[in-house]
């Protein structure tokens, strides 16, 4: 069974540009979450989608947005990039069916550098 | 607001030692606790998951315990090996399927 797949793995952008990152969850998983990892702040929750609906959002500015498609694949977008957005962006998926709180699986991440 | 703390932040041990990593959290209203491993430049690998109703879980040389009432978890690694060198992260699952992470323990096992 394929794991969580994130693309692209590495990218460099210029301040003011926007970026879109993609995530394909494990087959059958309907919950997709996004996290930002930086040396200073550690791992922080961005948002979570389930069946194309955003269920929860972390404390990030509106420049950070996401969506989920009917096949559970998800994208996150960051507009008007700032130097501080340089980070490892991790996608995670879980079945999250009913009230059964399952193991959450992470992808390898997308390394974003803003120059 | 949930806060998760991991102690120690870094640990260096000789090969073969048994070691304990600590995790504490401030809000006991959690669904589960997960321990992850992260190698440099990589994503997170799930090691163990303990449901809130459980006390411990074991996988090979790893054993994790959970005391929800006191807000503590420990990860016990038996007979450490150089391949265990990595950062270990503890995370609690709260409302909204959101994980709150600790800062991690960076482990170095020397041959």
């Amino acid at each position: 069974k394929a794991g969580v797949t994130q693309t692209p793995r590495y990218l460099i952008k210029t301040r003011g540009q926007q970026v879109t990152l993609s995530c394909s969850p494990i087959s059958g998983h309907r919950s997709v979450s996004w996290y930002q990892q930086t040396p200073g702040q550690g791992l922080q929750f961005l948002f979570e989608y389930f069946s194309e609906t955003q269920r929860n959002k972390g404390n990030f500015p509106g420049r950070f947005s996401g969506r989920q498609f009917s096949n559970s694949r998800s994208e996150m977008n960051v507009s008007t990039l700032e130097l501080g957005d340089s980070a490892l962006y991790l996608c995670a998926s879980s079945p999250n069916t009913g009230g059964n709180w399952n193991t959450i699986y992470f992808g390898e991440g997308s390394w974003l550098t803003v120059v | 607001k949930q806060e998760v703390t991991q102690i120690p932040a870094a640990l260096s041990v000789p090969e073969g030692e048994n070691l304990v990593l600590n995790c504490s959290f401030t809000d006991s209203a959690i669904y589960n606790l997960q321990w992850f491993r992260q190698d440099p430049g990589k994503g997170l690998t799930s090691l163990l998951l303990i449901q809130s109703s459980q006390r411990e879980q074991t996988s090979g040389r790893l054993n994790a315990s959970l005391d929800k009432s006191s807000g503590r978890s420990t990860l016990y690694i038996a007979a450490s090996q150089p391949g265990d060198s990595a950062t270990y992260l503890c995370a609690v699952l709260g409302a909204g399927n959101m994980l709150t992470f600790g800062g991690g323990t960076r482990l170095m096992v020397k041959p």
Side-chain angles (χ1 to χ4, degrees), chain A residues 74-109:
Chain A
S74 177
E75 289 180 348
M76 68 162 283
N77 184 77
V78 188
S79 62
T80 318
L81 284 166
E82 301 176 0
L83 295 178
D85 297 333
S86 296
L88 176 64
Y89 290 88
L90 290 162
C91 172
S93 80
S94 71
N96 192 208
T97 53
N100 184 17
W101 301 101
N102 308 97
T103 299
I104 294 178
Y105 298 91
F106 282 80
E108 289 292 310

Side-chain angles (χ1 to χ4, degrees), chain A residues 57-74:
Chain A
K57 190 177 192 308
N59 189 24
F60 278 82
R63 300 185 296 107
F64 292 81
S65 63
R67 58 177 175 169
Q68 186 181 34
F69 302 96
S70 58
N71 62 358
S72 292
R73 191 177 69 85
S74 177

